[in-house]
Amino acid sequence: NNKTTTKATGKKITRVAAKETTRKATMFVFLLAACCLVGMAPQTAAAKVAFPKGGPSTVMGLGLQALRNKRSSQLIKDCISVGLEEGGYYHKSVGDPTVCGVYLASGPSQRVQITLDYLDIDCKSGGLISFLDGWELNGEVFPPTADVPMEGRVEELCGRHRRKVFVSSSNAASLLYTLPRRGDVFKFSVKFIKHPTPCNILVNGDSGVFTLRNHGTRINCSLAAVFPASISLLQLSVGVPAIRGIRRAAPNRFIETGVMHRCSKRGLEDEVVVGGSLGLDVSNMVVEDDICGLDSNPRGRPSSVLCEVSVVRLISSGNTENSVTVAVSQLQFEDPNMIPTTVCPMPNEA
């Protein structure tokens, strides 16, 4: 019996030892993978990496997650990337100090969520990555600072970071970066999430039907199409019931006024401004017309805006519930009947 017990105990110890050996080997493989992913030699990893809360098992999980992220992420090669879809991305520096950018735009009723999954950028060499709530080009920003102040819209990072989440206030966001040190890297993922109260809309190359609303608040909302565009008015309810003389058809319903022009000269605070601009600061625009009123089926001619950015701005006092719906499409220059209704000056003429 003693011999039988000894043999059984020996087999049990052997199995436990084998499991322990396998566990240590597995841990070493994950640690080795994690070290390689962050660009460190395995023999220096213990000296440079402190175990996070949760111990070695957490490091194993991070190593496995990093492997999965790298497999599923797409490499960003171009200095300027526009219109990326949802998914994972990464960029590894070749030592070029040029300032580059990733420009993102979701659907009109969505916001952009950017998750920085991993960041290793040398601060001493001037490396930096900045999240911007909106788009920036040539020093101009959308949404314009006149409507959405810059405070809280920019966050700059360098060094080493994991899991940092940014969410835009509109459907536009961007990452601007400069990585002078070769080998600097960042990984991020993009997700488009529902916007409860959409206001500012950036249109990047796609035609469509868009609605601006103030949601009953004192706010200015802008649509910026980054191309010369044809803009057709489909629905208008702006300044009602503040317009003098407007009559009620029934409780909470008003008789339509049709489209009223030059509303600011009438002393009305709520209006829609149509026109264009040379850049993303659409608060500084060339105005074609400003309109207000109530019209569920306007029949006017479309505006043809010959500018780098075509603009529709809804200006609201907060005293009325305003909305405007427009159809936006790229100008057809080959159409012989196309006559521009708004023309922006050339940059050297502005």
Side-chain angles (χ1 to χ4, degrees):
N1 290 337
N2 291 337
K3 289 182 179 180
T4 303
T5 303
T6 302
K7 288 181 179 179
T9 303
K11 290 180 179 179
K12 185 176 181 180
I13 292 173
T14 302
R15 287 197 298 271
V16 172
K19 288 182 179 178
E20 181 66 13
T21 301
T22 303
R23 187 184 70 82
K24 290 181 178 180
T26 304
M27 185 183 297
F28 175 77
V29 170
F30 283 127
L31 286 172
L32 181 63
C35 294
C36 292
L37 283 170
V38 299
M40 291 188 296
Q43 60 267 27
T44 63
K48 293 190 176 182
V49 178
F51 285 129
K53 187 176 181 180
S57 60
T58 303
V59 176
M60 290 170 58
L62 290 174
L64 181 58
Q65 186 63 42
L67 279 171
R68 289 173 178 166
N69 288 343
K70 188 170 184 180
R71 288 177 188 149
S72 60
S73 298
Q74 301 178 51
L75 174 63
I76 293 180
K77 297 180 180 179
D78 298 330
C79 182
I80 301 297
S81 300
V82 181
L84 299 183
E85 298 178 352
E86 291 182 299
Y89 302 89
Y90 72 99
H91 175 76
K92 191 169 185 179
S93 173
V94 296
D96 185 353
T98 304
V99 177
C100 297
V102 177
Y103 294 85
L104 303 162
S106 63
S109 60
Q110 295 175 314
R111 294 193 288 179
V112 181
Q113 177 179 292
I114 299 175
T115 302
L116 277 175
D117 300 304
Y118 179 73
L119 178 73
D120 185 1
I121 296 177
D122 181 47
C123 302
K124 293 181 179 179
S125 64
L128 189 68
I129 185 169
S130 299
F131 166 80
L132 172 63
D133 178 7
W135 279 23
E136 184 276 337
L137 187 63
N138 297 327
E140 297 188 0
V141 179
F142 179 86
T145 57
D147 300 334
V148 184
M150 286 302 296
E151 183 178 358
R153 291 178 59 183
V154 179
E155 186 161 350
E156 299 178 338
L157 294 170
C158 63
R160 285 189 179 179
H161 298 271
R162 278 191 185 277
R163 191 70 185 175
K164 192 84 173 176
V165 180
F166 307 96
V167 180
S168 65
S169 61
S170 69
N171 75 322
S174 51
L175 286 174
L176 309 174
Y177 59 91
T178 176
L179 308 179
R181 186 182 71 170
R182 187 180 185 88
D184 280 0
V185 64
F186 65 88
K187 299 185 180 76
F188 67 98
S189 54
V190 177
K191 186 177 181 181
F192 301 144
I193 60 178
K194 184 178 179 180
H195 199 315
T197 55
C199 176
N200 293 293
I201 301 172
L202 188 139
V203 183
N204 178 35
D206 294 327
S207 302
V209 175
F210 306 92
T211 299
L212 296 176
R213 290 187 177 89
N214 73 327
H215 306 282
T217 61
R218 183 182 180 88
I219 193 172
N220 297 335
C221 301
S222 299
L223 179 148
V226 290
F227 49 82
S230 172
I231 302 173
S232 300
L233 183 65
L234 303 182
Q235 174 272 333
L236 179 70
S237 178
V238 175
V240 180
I243 300 171
R244 291 181 181 178
I246 191 169
R247 293 181 297 165
R248 292 180 182 269
N252 298 322
R253 292 184 60 190
F254 297 90
I255 296 175
E256 295 194 357
T257 63
V259 178
M260 302 171 62
H261 300 268
R262 307 302 177 193
C263 298
S264 57
K265 291 186 177 180
R266 298 170 182 257
L268 299 173
E269 296 181 281
D270 301 78
E271 60 181 351
V272 175
V273 184
V274 180
S277 66
L278 292 173
L280 291 176
D281 184 6
V282 296
S283 64
N284 182 25
M285 60 183 288
V286 176
V287 177
E288 175 182 326
D289 196 6
D290 61 279
I291 59 176
C292 59
L294 179 61
D295 197 331
S296 59
N297 188 27
R299 297 177 180 271
R301 289 175 58 85
S303 297
S304 298
V305 182
L306 192 58
C307 299
E308 292 186 20
V309 180
S310 304
V311 183
V312 178
R313 273 174 64 77
L314 174 62
I315 299 173
S316 301
S317 65
N319 297 323
T320 61
E321 190 87 26
N322 296 328
S323 68
V324 58
T325 301
V326 294
V328 177
S329 60
Q330 296 199 25
L331 275 185
Q332 303 299 316
F333 292 101
E334 64 275 11
D335 182 359
N337 297 319
M338 192 278 290
I339 301 175
T341 55
T342 301
V343 179
C344 289
M346 298 295 291
N348 57 354
E349 298 175 359

